[in-house]
Amino acid sequence: MIYPIVKFGNPVLEKPADPVTVFDADLKKLVADMFESMYEAHGVGLAAPQIGISKRLAVIDVTFQEDPDAQLVLANPEILHTEGKHTQPEGCLSIPEFREEVTRPRKVTIRAQDINGKWFEKTGEELLARAFLHETEHLNGKLYISHISSLKRDLIKRKIRKLLKAGAW
């Protein structure tokens, strides 16, 4: 099932998500639906709040279906370590049509649970590191625009309000 992506302004995007506590067939179905929804929206990561579900769950595939082994499921992820800096344009499925330069750590180590509830650690660099941070922040109720200047953030918010008024958002 393809879920619609929740857009900026929806309160679910700005509150911390609830921990995943049950690892069952329903969770596996939700994860499969999240991957399908992410691919349909042309994303490389998707957090459950982005489909209106307040759970600490995210899916990532920085290869965009080129490598089936690259699919990652992160339940209850935590950032363990970061290092370096890397700046590049960043966007978000919940804030479509907007991209801004964002500086984030170049290398990130996370700890998370897999689809069966087993804890694991993984280190990613550049795009994967960015995805780890971006999706984990979604689960904490934070959006990437919190990393840009307040002036740029305000301009984006004004443009979004205009789009909302025009019914184009």
Side-chain angles (χ1 to χ4, degrees), residues 89-129:
E90 187 168 329
C92 179
L93 296 176
S94 292
I95 311 174
E97 302 168 32
F98 295 93
R99 293 184 72 72
E100 290 294 330
E101 292 283 323
V102 176
T103 300
R104 292 193 182 265
R106 177 176 293 282
K107 189 174 183 180
V108 175
T109 302
I110 60 151
R111 179 175 185 260
Q113 288 173 281
D114 66 15
I115 200 162
N116 298 307
K118 183 177 179 234
W119 286 98
F120 68 94
E121 288 184 16
K122 184 156 180 76
T123 299
E125 295 189 42
E126 296 186 6
L127 182 56
L128 184 56

Side-chain angles (χ1 to χ4, degrees), residues 33-46:
D33 290 346
M34 286 176 67
F35 274 113
E36 189 178 355
S37 301
M38 178 186 75
Y39 294 136
E40 178 71 19
H42 303 286
V44 296
L46 183 70

Side-chain angles (χ1 to χ4, degrees), residues 5 7 10-11 20 31 34 36 58 68 70 76 104 113 121 127 131 160:
I5 305 297
K7 300 280 194 302
N10 187 310
V20 175
V31 164
M34 286 176 67
E36 189 178 355
N76 305 314
R104 292 193 182 265
Q113 288 173 281
E121 288 184 16
L127 182 56
I160 290 171

Side-chain angles (χ1 to χ4, degrees), residues 33-155:
D33 290 346
M34 286 176 67
F35 274 113
E36 189 178 355
S37 301
M38 178 186 75
Y39 294 136
E40 178 71 19
H42 303 286
V44 296
L46 183 70
Q50 291 182 276
I51 58 168
I53 297 171
S54 184
K55 284 210 178 291
R56 293 189 63 77
L57 180 67
V59 297
I60 294 172
D61 179 359
V62 295
T63 73
F64 196 77
Q65 294 180 295
E66 287 181 21
D67 179 3
D69 295 332
Q71 285 189 342
L72 291 170
V73 176
L74 309 177
N76 305 314
E78 313 163 4
I79 304 299
L80 295 180
H81 178 75
T82 65
E83 64 183 72
K85 285 190 177 195
H86 183 237
T87 301
Q88 75 177 54
E90 187 168 329
C92 179
L93 296 176
S94 292
I95 311 174
E97 302 168 32
F98 295 93
R99 293 184 72 72
E100 290 294 330
E101 292 283 323
V102 176
T103 300
R104 292 193 182 265
R106 177 176 293 282
K107 189 174 183 180
V108 175
T109 302
I110 60 151
R111 179 175 185 260
Q113 288 173 281
D114 66 15
I115 200 162
N116 298 307
K118 183 177 179 234
W119 286 98
F120 68 94
E121 288 184 16
K122 184 156 180 76
T123 299
E125 295 189 42
E126 296 186 6
L127 182 56
L128 184 56
R130 185 171 295 273
F132 285 163
L133 293 165
H134 184 106
E135 301 311 327
T136 301
E137 285 182 352
H138 268 304
L139 304 179
N140 294 330
K142 190 174 177 182
L143 299 166
Y144 87 95
I145 58 173
S146 67
H147 294 284
I148 63 176
S149 73
S150 58
L151 177 63
K152 283 185 178 179
R153 190 170 42 252
D154 288 345
L155 285 171

